[in-house]
Amino acid sequence: MGDAMMDKFDKYWDEPNNVMVLATILDPRYKMRYIEWDYHQMYAVGKANTEKNIVRGELDTLYEKFVAKNKQAEERASGSSAKNNCNTSTSMPLMDCEFQSFLSATSSTPSKSELRNYLDDLNEAMDPMFNLHYWWRVNAPRYPVLAMMAKRFLTVLATSVSSESTFSTGGRVLDDYRNSLKPEMAEALVCGASYIKGSHKDFNRDEDEEDDVENIKLPKIVDVGGDNNW
């Protein structure tokens, strides 16, 4: 049973949830340093480096997507504003106005510097009163693209249970990912299953054959006395 439980445990964790990993990186108390430390706690050196490189690659790719999205939004906003200014301004020549618009569109910070600066900065202290959302609200002007990422990843619900199950009268279905048993209960179930199997043991069957506990009938209770002694 222990081997079977370990197989299911490995099956669950062999599919890492990198959404949670990225959310951890966007917490200034942890960043990428925590991921590196944690992977070296869980895996061997080679495996830890491989997993770390995978996460860093996903982070860079995702960051570039947000950079492109942010740049498009800025270009639309700056283009519309510059056009209005050029149309309404009488003190600046049209050529100078258009050149000023070009400078505004091309003077953005290089895309990699924001992520690199965030990861290179020192981690925030582990203060119990630390407010993660307030920190990003204050530092959004410094890390505008990362702030967009934080707004998306730090609002992910920490549960896979759908909200409608709260109001469902059909009962809850337990699977490999939605159940939890205390050690005492697990031991009681194992002992109970052993007792049920032993009471219906067929000595003509192969020992390697496994019984389906759900299909085994409970042993009958026999009255051996007449004074309620069972």
Side-chain angles (χ1 to χ4, degrees), residues 208-225:
D208 294 333
E209 293 185 27
E210 294 185 358
D211 293 321
D212 187 352
V213 178
E214 295 181 357
N215 296 328
I216 297 178
K217 297 181 179 179
L218 291 173
K220 296 181 179 179
I221 300 177
V222 180
D223 187 356
V224 296

Side-chain angles (χ1 to χ4, degrees), residues 66-147:
F66 273 84
V67 167
K69 182 179 179 180
N70 185 59
K71 186 176 181 180
Q72 292 176 357
E74 289 181 348
E75 288 177 351
R76 288 194 297 267
S78 62
S80 176
S81 177
K83 183 177 180 180
N84 292 335
N85 291 337
C86 289
N87 291 336
T88 58
S89 176
T90 56
S91 60
M92 182 181 299
L94 179 61
M95 187 68 67
D96 293 343
C97 182
E98 292 179 351
F99 177 66
Q100 189 67 34
S101 301
F102 170 77
L103 290 178
S104 300
T106 57
S107 62
S108 59
T109 306
S111 61
K112 293 184 179 180
S113 64
E114 183 179 321
L115 177 60
R116 184 178 63 247
N117 290 339
Y118 170 76
L119 296 178
D120 289 343
D121 288 344
L122 294 177
N123 293 41
E124 294 291 330
M126 295 293 181
D127 186 355
M129 302 302 295
F130 181 81
N131 189 318
L132 180 57
H133 293 92
Y134 177 77
W135 189 93
W136 274 111
R137 185 172 64 180
V138 172
N139 290 273
R142 184 181 180 187
Y143 306 114
V145 177
L146 289 177

Side-chain angles (χ1 to χ4, degrees), residues 1 9 21 24 34 40 48 50-51 60 77-78 86 111 125 128 141 147-148 164 185-186 195-196 206 209 221 229-230:
M1 171 165 277
F9 182 84
V21 175
T24 303
Y34 178 82
H40 280 88
T50 300
E51 294 294 333
D60 291 337
S78 62
C86 289
S111 61
M148 294 172 56
E164 60 269 17
M185 182 60 69
Y195 169 69
I196 294 174
D206 189 351
E209 293 185 27
I221 300 177
N229 291 326
W230 301 89

